[in-house]
Amino acid sequence: MKAPRRFLILTLLLLGSAALAAERPNIVFVFSDDHATQAISAYGGPLAEIAPTPHLDAIAAEGMLFRRCMVTNSICGPSRATILTGKYSHKNGFFQNEHTRFDGSQETFPKLLQKAGYETALIGKWHLASDPTGFDHWDILPGQGSYYNPDFINPDGKYRVEGYVSEVVTEKAKDWLKTERDPEKPFILMVQHKAPHRAWEPAPKYLSAFDEVTIPEPDTLFDDYSGRGTAARDQDMSISKTMTMRDLKLKNLDETGQFIERVYNRMTPVQQAEWDAAYEEKNQAFAEAKLEGDELIRWKYQRYLKDYLRCIKSVDDSIGELQEFLEGAGLAENTVFIYSSDQGFYLGEHGWFDKRFMFDESYRTPLLVRWPGVVEAGSVNSDLVSNLDFAQTFLDIAGVENPAGMQGASLVPILKSGTPDDWRSSHYYHYYEYPGWHMVHRHEGVYDGRYKLMNFYDLGEWELYDMETDPQELVNQYENPEYAEVRAGLHEELTRLREQYEVPENEVQDLTNVDMHYHSTEIQKRGVERRKMLEAKKEKK
Ligand code: CA
């Protein structure tokens, strides 16, 4: 009698653990670089009809779309570090892209998932300078990576793959799912695209997409920055002044030779021929037209947006292919599929490209979650969520306990049943990279879903926006007496959040000695004038 009973118990235990393993869902996290919500048709807006994203929209239709996913620090590396650690930049040590290496010895969600029995894989863009830690499998693009015939690095070294980066990354992800993963374990697969990062080089098959259409211009394409402080005026990220010949694919006009050296020479002769067939005639027409002033800006905007949206088409294809693969492999039902980007981006709003500012277009990032049987299809959420919450969300999905020190909150309760009563009612932001590319002044701020307070502490300037009456953020209401109460409330909230997140005191920088080598010539001149003015002010004191 004894032996069969022992056998029965063992069988039950095995069945139990198998059931438990089956209950733990897989996670596929597809992550892109600089993808603005304005360029996902599920989010609506003027680009939705011209540049639909059917596969991303399908994720939203079958899952949840988050309208207010705010980043902690709107720039590539810092956003990635926040996602891995569940911590603000001042806690994970990765404040800015330049001169920073991610400290991979710290606690991250992939390490915790690994400990909990998950298989962890990372494919594509990493951009944190140090080698990835906490992954059973990694195969990444070095630095920013290349669009055409990209190099990859894995633990065995560096090698080149012929093809277009978004397609190669997708193929690698499918290969890992098909042949390399351990089918006995639940997994997290992070598929991290380079696209649609600058310099927006489209796939061969999309080089002529949008040729026949005119992209609608944003209302603020010709913004003069009146009504706001110094920072909006002082940046170096405008379509009119900052965009280069390389960005615009004007290879014959690129005096730096960067396009030929870094982009064109990487291509195969066939790719070069396809590229030239798509651009040369249009470039010739541009050269002959000798555009100036607003007309030149309009032309640049069209070229920029079309190339950006062409890159998005490949990202959208990747989503479709991965979904199709998961379905074919019988994995879709037990896999949480998540799409996001490291931050948003300016698609000509305020006359800009790039990110960094706490203004809406780059502060907000897309977040779509499909979780069959858990998330109600077609749901839309407007809570203040953040990339700060991703780590704890992944851990919660896997049933791993919330580790001490992470600063966000799991989104699983929101995904399952709606907003918890104690959900955050405001969000803290902090950008640090100055001086640096695009010269956006350092700032911190608080956003409560309607009002936004920004503190450009090096400039001694505060800005306050009312997103309800002024969604384009054109009028700084900080000194408006009608907003006195709102202003006081936001100051209080900022102080509270700084305490909650243990933000160190802001050290104000002496701007008179700022290295100006990043600036384009025109902005350098303005910087010199500004420096003289500051020096004169100092002398007066
Ligand atoms: Ca980015």
Side-chain angles (χ1 to χ4, degrees):
M1 279 305 280
K2 257 187 181 171
R5 181 189 264 178
R6 206 181 295 153
F7 178 73
L8 184 70
I9 291 170
L10 193 68
T11 309
L12 284 172
L13 277 173
L14 280 172
L15 280 172
S17 66
L20 193 70
E23 275 167 20
R24 293 203 294 177
N26 309 305
I27 301 168
V28 171
F29 179 53
V30 185
F31 188 63
S32 59
D33 195 330
D34 295 356
H35 192 178
T37 57
Q38 306 94 287
I40 297 179
S41 42
Y43 280 88
L47 299 177
E49 242 174 75
I50 284 181
T53 49
H55 301 297
L56 283 160
D57 292 9
I59 303 299
E62 292 162 15
M64 188 176 278
L65 176 147
F66 289 85
R67 287 214 161 273
R68 286 195 182 122
C69 183
M70 319 316 291
V71 294
T72 55
N73 182 357
S74 183
I75 182 168
C76 311
S79 170
R80 288 154 198 268
T82 286
I83 289 170
L84 287 169
T85 59
K87 292 175 183 171
Y88 274 95
S89 308
H90 64 272
K91 290 284 186 187
N92 65 43
F94 203 101
F95 292 90
Q96 54 185 47
N97 276 349
E98 291 184 58
H99 319 298
T100 319
R101 287 171 73 80
F102 180 67
D103 170 13
S105 71
Q106 61 188 307
E107 190 84 284
T108 61
F109 80 80
K111 290 183 186 175
L112 291 163
L113 287 178
Q114 227 177 7
K115 265 187 222 157
Y118 267 68
E119 195 172 21
T120 58
L122 163 71
I123 293 163
K125 187 160 174 181
W126 172 246
H127 205 213
L128 288 168
S130 53
D131 280 351
T133 54
F135 293 96
D136 297 306
H137 172 92
W138 58 268
D139 199 3
I140 59 171
L141 301 166
Q144 292 282 8
S146 299
Y147 274 106
Y148 275 78
N149 311 324
D151 292 325
F152 280 82
I153 315 175
N154 65 24
D156 298 327
K158 189 170 162 182
Y159 63 103
R160 189 170 288 198
V161 182
E162 194 177 310
Y164 183 70
V165 70
S166 311
E167 294 165 13
V168 173
V169 165
T170 307
E171 280 310 309
K172 281 177 171 290
K174 288 198 290 188
D175 278 350
W176 182 80
L177 287 167
K178 221 186 296 185
T179 59
E180 286 189 58
R181 76 180 182 93
D182 176 355
E184 302 298 315
K185 283 181 169 181
F187 65 85
I188 179 164
L189 168 62
M190 295 163 69
V191 185
Q192 310 207 150
H193 286 294
K194 169 182 173 62
H197 192 275
R198 190 185 185 190
W200 319 295
E201 291 148 28
K205 67 174 174 184
Y206 291 130
L207 284 167
S208 299
F210 308 111
D211 266 4
E212 308 307 320
V213 297
T214 303
I215 309 289
E217 291 170 2
D219 297 341
T220 57
L221 183 60
F222 298 98
D223 197 340
D224 64 0
Y225 314 115
S226 60
R228 278 142 294 164
T230 306
R233 206 172 51 241
D234 227 21
Q235 43 62 41
D236 191 8
M237 50 188 260
S238 70
I239 293 174
S240 65
K241 298 188 185 74
T242 317
M243 212 165 250
T244 65
M245 297 298 141
R246 178 188 167 182
D247 293 332
L248 295 164
K249 322 295 175 332
L250 293 164
K251 80 173 198 275
N252 298 335
L253 300 178
D254 182 6
E255 285 167 2
T256 66
Q258 280 199 5
F259 186 85
I260 299 290
E261 269 172 45
R262 297 191 192 168
V263 183
Y264 198 70
N265 288 349
R266 282 192 81 86
M267 295 179 186
T268 64
V270 172
Q271 289 165 345
Q272 287 176 340
E274 287 172 312
W275 185 277
D276 289 340
Y279 286 108
E280 285 307 286
E281 204 178 307
K282 286 179 261 178
N283 289 354
Q284 193 59 38
F286 168 75
E288 281 162 18
K290 299 195 179 357
L291 302 174
E292 280 177 25
D294 287 359
E295 288 313 308
L296 178 59
I297 293 173
R298 290 204 156 96
W299 185 91
K300 286 171 154 186
Y301 169 78
Q302 291 296 325
R303 170 71 48 108
Y304 159 43
L305 254 282
K306 285 180 185 183
D307 284 337
Y308 181 90
L309 295 170
R310 288 164 183 151
C311 291
I312 303 284
K313 282 179 84 69
S314 294
V315 174
D316 193 58
D317 286 349
S318 171
I319 304 290
E321 275 186 47
L322 290 168
Q323 267 296 321
E324 197 183 315
F325 179 86
L326 291 169
E327 272 159 32
L331 289 165
E333 285 309 296
N334 197 35
T335 296
V336 188
F337 194 101
I338 303 173
Y339 180 76
S340 190
S341 169
D342 57 355
Q343 15 57 217
F345 213 66
Y346 297 97
L347 305 184
E349 298 90 354
H350 307 293
W352 296 337
F353 63 96
D354 213 69
K355 50 253 182 182
R356 297 159 202 269
F357 274 110
M358 200 192 173
F359 293 113
D360 196 55
E361 293 82 358
S362 70
Y363 178 34
R364 185 159 33 89
T365 204
L367 177 61
L368 308 170
V369 182
R370 180 187 188 269
W371 190 352
V374 174
V375 174
E376 197 186 327
S379 43
V380 175
N381 178 279
S382 296
D383 295 323
L384 287 172
V385 305
S386 175
N387 60 348
L388 185 68
D389 304 324
F390 290 5
Q392 280 153 277
T393 303
F394 297 143
L395 293 171
D396 200 3
I397 289 170
V400 178
E401 211 174 302
N402 196 354
M406 286 195 178
Q407 297 182 303
S410 166
L411 300 176
V412 170
I414 292 179
L415 291 166
K416 281 188 171 163
S417 53
T419 316
D421 291 338
D422 59 350
W423 193 255
R424 75 167 68 81
S425 56
S426 66
H427 182 257
Y428 178 73
Y429 179 83
H430 205 143
Y431 172 79
Y432 297 89
E433 190 171 289
Y434 188 94
W437 291 110
H438 302 301
M439 296 305 259
V440 171
H441 284 283
R442 302 190 296 175
H443 57 295
E444 63 171 355
V446 57
Y447 175 51
D448 70 3
R450 173 166 177 180
Y451 301 109
K452 196 183 280 177
L453 179 71
M454 303 185 199
N455 176 19
F456 293 90
Y457 45 90
D458 289 329
L459 302 166
E461 291 180 16
W462 291 86
E463 300 186 21
L464 191 163
Y465 296 93
D466 182 343
M467 300 286 291
E468 197 172 289
T469 60
D470 176 27
Q472 294 180 330
E473 300 169 288
L474 301 175
V475 188
N476 175 14
Q477 303 285 10
Y478 190 77
E479 300 296 346
N480 182 347
E482 283 172 33
Y483 284 84
E485 209 172 304
V486 170
R487 169 177 144 169
L490 289 170
H491 270 287
E492 214 171 280
E493 193 58 11
L494 182 61
T495 305
R496 189 187 71 76
L497 290 173
R498 290 183 57 91
E499 276 168 25
Q500 179 186 335
Y501 296 125
E502 299 173 323
V503 184
E505 205 60 27
N506 294 327
E507 282 172 37
V508 176
Q509 205 174 9
D510 179 0
L511 294 176
T512 52
N513 292 315
V514 161
D515 174 2
M516 303 295 288
H517 78 275
Y518 294 97
H519 270 322
S520 58
T521 324
E522 187 162 334
I523 292 174
Q524 275 196 38
K525 269 190 228 155
R526 220 157 63 204
V528 171
E529 281 164 27
R530 183 170 166 71
R531 194 181 303 181
K532 276 186 200 153
M533 189 193 79
L534 284 166
E535 273 164 8
K537 251 190 194 173
K538 237 186 182 178
E539 269 169 30
K540 260 189 190 171
K541 278 181 187 169

